[in-house]
Amino acid sequence: MNIHNSMEDAVTQDVNNLYESLKKDNIKWLKCDCESCRLDTICYVLNRTQPKYYVSERGILHNALDMEDSQLKTDITKLAMEGIRLISGSARANHTVKSEETESETGKLYYNFPLIMGTIYNGDNFEPLEDVSIVLKLNNEDAQMADCTWSNPAKTYKATKGSYTFWPAAIECEKEETKIFKLTLEISAKNFGSTIYAVELPLIPEKVKKSSLESTYSLKVKDIFLFDTNSENPME
């Protein structure tokens, strides 16, 4: 008897398609798309999705119908983008791209920021919106990024399915006390106007300045919807 998880096929195909799209669009932060990185991304997604097993032709058909679920496809793509970005931003011993940050043994303290991610949608048809500019402000100033592979402003592309990500640089501090940082996203797109979304992020100082991302340390911003300013009947 053979048991198969149909999610493996769906995730593998989606991850590979995303890597190819990102390469085609010359996304600057994608520094490597080797087999190891792709497999790591596939594992990242599969570990965060519910498996769908089958043992018969009926099972294959049932799972094939499940995979037509648009929400499931969207969820897989979101996780794939998260995985690709996390893995691209992590230092790897066998890769030439490494972060300049190293662990500190000087007794200093740092506020380490999580990966900040979100998605912009067209509010008129609920499709991911491309060519959107997102500026991350930290305490009313443009946030500095952890390294040169991250951009601020960020931009959404067709390949990224309306998603954007930031990894702010760690901030050195002297006292071991929790501090609340005000993060503001200034979002704008041609023919869609602009909007601002703010969130407060409490951080506790750490003795090490993080040099690589952790998949469990992230902040997901709520989905943002922009409406076509030329639309005759924009949704409220």
Side-chain angles (χ1 to χ4, degrees):
M1 179 184 297
N2 293 321
I3 299 177
H4 186 71
N5 177 13
S6 63
M7 291 295 287
E8 292 183 15
D9 298 330
V11 170
T12 298
Q13 181 178 7
D14 196 58
V15 167
N16 284 326
N17 287 342
L18 277 175
Y19 267 107
E20 294 305 318
S21 294
L22 292 170
K23 287 172 57 182
K24 184 178 179 180
D25 287 347
N26 294 316
I27 304 301
K28 293 181 180 180
W29 53 258
L30 183 68
K31 300 299 182 181
C32 181
D33 70 314
C34 70
E35 183 179 5
S36 178
C37 285
R38 295 189 182 213
L39 289 175
D40 283 348
T41 303
I42 291 169
C43 289
Y44 177 90
V45 178
L46 289 174
N47 285 333
R48 290 161 177 78
T49 54
Q50 183 176 357
K52 293 182 178 294
Y53 298 108
Y54 64 80
V55 294
S56 65
E57 292 183 359
R58 180 179 299 177
I60 294 175
L61 177 60
H62 178 73
N63 281 282
L65 292 174
D66 282 345
M67 294 313 299
E68 293 301 317
D69 185 320
S70 60
Q71 184 58 53
L72 179 58
K73 288 182 176 180
T74 299
D75 292 342
I76 290 175
T77 299
K78 279 188 174 183
L79 285 170
M81 281 304 306
E82 290 176 18
I84 292 172
R85 190 79 206 224
L86 283 164
I87 290 160
S88 292
S90 299
R92 292 167 154 287
N94 60 328
H95 288 179
T96 57
V97 178
K98 295 178 180 286
S99 169
E100 295 179 358
E101 309 293 353
T102 56
E103 292 191 357
S104 172
E105 298 179 355
T106 63
K108 296 180 180 179
L109 296 172
Y110 300 91
Y111 290 111
N112 288 303
F113 288 85
L115 175 70
I116 298 169
M117 62 183 72
T119 307
I120 312 294
Y121 290 97
N122 183 331
D124 297 311
N125 56 23
F126 304 106
E127 292 292 328
L129 192 59
E130 60 183 283
D131 202 25
V132 180
S133 174
I134 308 101
V135 179
L136 178 65
K137 298 280 189 176
L138 176 58
N139 294 334
N140 298 318
E141 296 183 358
D142 288 3
Q144 297 297 311
M145 295 294 101
D147 59 52
C148 62
T149 65
W150 303 85
S151 299
N152 187 18
K155 191 176 180 180
T156 63
Y157 299 87
K158 182 178 180 179
T160 61
K161 308 289 185 180
S163 297
Y164 62 88
T165 49
F166 294 101
W167 188 26
I171 296 178
E172 186 177 330
C173 62
E174 298 179 355
K175 297 181 179 180
E176 192 168 348
E177 61 182 8
T178 300
K179 183 175 180 179
I180 296 178
F181 292 88
K182 180 181 178 182
L183 301 175
T184 304
L185 294 170
E186 297 182 350
I187 304 163
S188 61
K190 185 178 180 181
N191 298 327
F192 282 83
S194 60
T195 188
I196 294 177
Y197 179 77
V199 63
E200 292 186 342
L201 178 65
L203 293 179
I204 299 174
E206 299 178 78
K207 295 181 179 179
V208 173
K209 187 194 306 186
K210 291 185 178 179
S211 59
S212 61
L213 289 168
E214 297 177 8
S215 61
T216 57
Y217 192 46
S218 63
L219 171 64
K220 291 188 177 181
V221 177
K222 75 170 187 176
D223 293 340
I224 303 294
F225 295 86
L226 297 181
F227 296 91
D228 190 341
T229 54
N230 296 320
S231 175
E232 294 183 359
N233 298 302
M235 295 179 62
E236 298 294 336

